[in-house]
């Protein structure tokens, strides 16, 4: 699927381990987003990047770091995973020039034991 | 911060029935969007609304941007089994600002 590619799709970690979720988009848009999805809570914004070289905190940034490596790639890092970070993580980028019309990746399902 | 209340949380309907769901916000939005998420997939954009009072259709789906600019509605007519999934509303206060998502409506369609 062209659009937004996330890796890995599944990951199991132990508490305290670190890992990085990778995201790449081929739609040539400036902005990219990381969301987490938890049952009954919708999608909550973790971090976003309005353009290459810039990143900003979203609604739930604690415990995460991000890197906007270039225009295509935006990674999310968990330095010391906690069970509360068990979730499904989605990367997104605008489908069109309107930044609200997001195209989402397929998700990365993370379990922290 | 912004809050979106989406209702109902879940719906169980028979194939062929019509469905309605809605979202209300605590502040005025200038953009409303509706997404659908199939099991194991990311959300997919269904309809985008940019003007108060706007009514937009996409096949059997119709969405409206409420005239108060604090609510939006999604209707699905003549439901079919593939309509199963989670429907999310999302909105933003200004053009280009970050989206706020509702909690989702889980739709189950019985054949």
């Amino acid at each position: 699927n062209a659009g937004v590619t996330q890796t890995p799709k599944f990951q199991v970690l132990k508490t305290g381990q670190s890992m990085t979720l990778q995201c790449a988009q081929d739609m040539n848009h400036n902005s990219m987003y990381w969301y987490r999805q938890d049952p009954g809570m919708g999608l909550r914004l973790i971090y976003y990047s309005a353009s290459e070289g810039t990143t900003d905190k979203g609604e739930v940034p604690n415990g995460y770091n991000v890197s906007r490596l270039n225009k295509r790639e935006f990674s999310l890092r968990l330095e010391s995973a906690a069970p509360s970070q068990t979730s499904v993580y989605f990367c997104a980028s605008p489908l069109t020039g309107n930044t609200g019309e997001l195209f989402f990746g397929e998700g990365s399902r993370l379990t922290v034991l | 911060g912004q809050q979106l209340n989406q209702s109902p949380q879940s719906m169980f309907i028979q194939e062929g029935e019509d469905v309605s769901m809605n979202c209300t916000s605590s502040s005025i939005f200038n953009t409303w969007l509706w997404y659908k998420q199939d099991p194991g997939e990311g959300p997919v954009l269904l309809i985008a609304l940019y003007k108060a009072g706007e009514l937009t259709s996409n096949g059997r789906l119709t969405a409206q941007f409420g005239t108060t600019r604090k609510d939006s509605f999604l209707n699905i007519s003549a439901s079919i089994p593939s309509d199963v999934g989670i429907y999310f509303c999302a909105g933003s206060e200004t053009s280009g600002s970050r989206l706020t998502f509702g909690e989702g409506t889980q739709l189950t369609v019985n054949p």
Side-chain angles (χ1 to χ4, degrees):
Chain A
N1 255 354
V4 177
T5 303
Q6 292 182 231
T7 56
K9 288 187 168 44
F10 300 93
Q11 184 72 50
V12 178
L13 293 176
K14 294 181 180 178
T15 297
Q17 287 185 318
S18 62
M19 76 159 298
T20 300
L21 301 177
Q22 307 285 355
C23 175
Q25 55 99 359
D26 61 6
M27 299 179 293
N28 202 35
H29 283 296
N30 286 323
S31 53
M32 297 183 74
Y33 304 82
W34 275 107
Y35 288 88
R36 61 176 288 173
Q37 182 179 21
D38 303 291
M41 300 189 74
L43 291 148
R44 293 182 293 169
L45 184 64
I46 305 171
Y47 268 94
Y48 68 102
S49 172
S51 62
E52 183 179 352
T54 67
T55 60
D56 286 287
K57 295 179 180 179
E59 183 183 354
V60 287
N62 291 344
Y64 305 95
N65 287 304
V66 290
S67 295
R68 183 70 184 269
L69 306 171
N70 48 55
K71 191 171 186 178
R72 288 190 66 246
E73 298 172 292
F74 188 36
S75 62
L76 179 72
R77 183 161 178 82
L78 287 71
E79 290 291 352
S80 179
S84 61
Q85 294 178 303
T86 294
S87 188
V88 182
Y89 292 85
F90 288 98
C91 179
S93 189
L95 193 62
T96 66
N98 189 310
T99 56
E101 298 181 11
L102 297 179
F103 188 98
F104 286 85
E106 293 185 335
S108 298
R109 286 149 185 81
L110 176 66
T111 300
V112 183
L113 303 176
Chain B
Q2 304 164 4
Q3 290 186 342
L4 281 187
N5 294 311
Q6 185 171 349
S7 64
Q9 286 187 331
S10 61
M11 302 182 75
F12 297 84
I13 63 170
Q14 293 297 125
E15 183 176 359
E17 289 183 354
D18 297 341
V19 172
S20 292
M21 59 192 77
N22 68 84
C23 266
T24 58
S25 68
S26 57
S27 56
I28 290 175
F29 282 179
N30 78 343
T31 302
W32 283 99
L33 305 109
W34 286 91
Y35 289 82
K36 182 197 177 192
Q37 184 180 29
D38 290 327
E41 303 289 332
V44 174
L45 181 66
L46 297 173
I47 294 177
L49 303 159
Y50 297 103
K51 296 181 182 178
E54 181 180 358
L55 187 71
T56 298
S57 293
N58 178 3
R60 294 177 295 104
L61 278 61
T62 301
Q64 184 163 23
F65 193 139
T67 54
T68 66
R69 300 178 64 190
K70 289 186 174 184
D71 55 8
S72 181
F73 308 87
L74 177 69
N75 296 316
I76 305 173
S77 62
S79 59
I80 59 178
S82 63
D83 290 334
V84 165
I86 304 176
Y87 292 80
F88 291 101
C89 63
S92 65
E93 290 185 345
T94 59
S95 177
S97 65
R98 298 173 294 174
L99 289 180
T100 298
F101 281 83
E103 301 96 338
T105 296
Q106 173 75 62
L107 178 64
T108 301
V109 180
N110 296 315

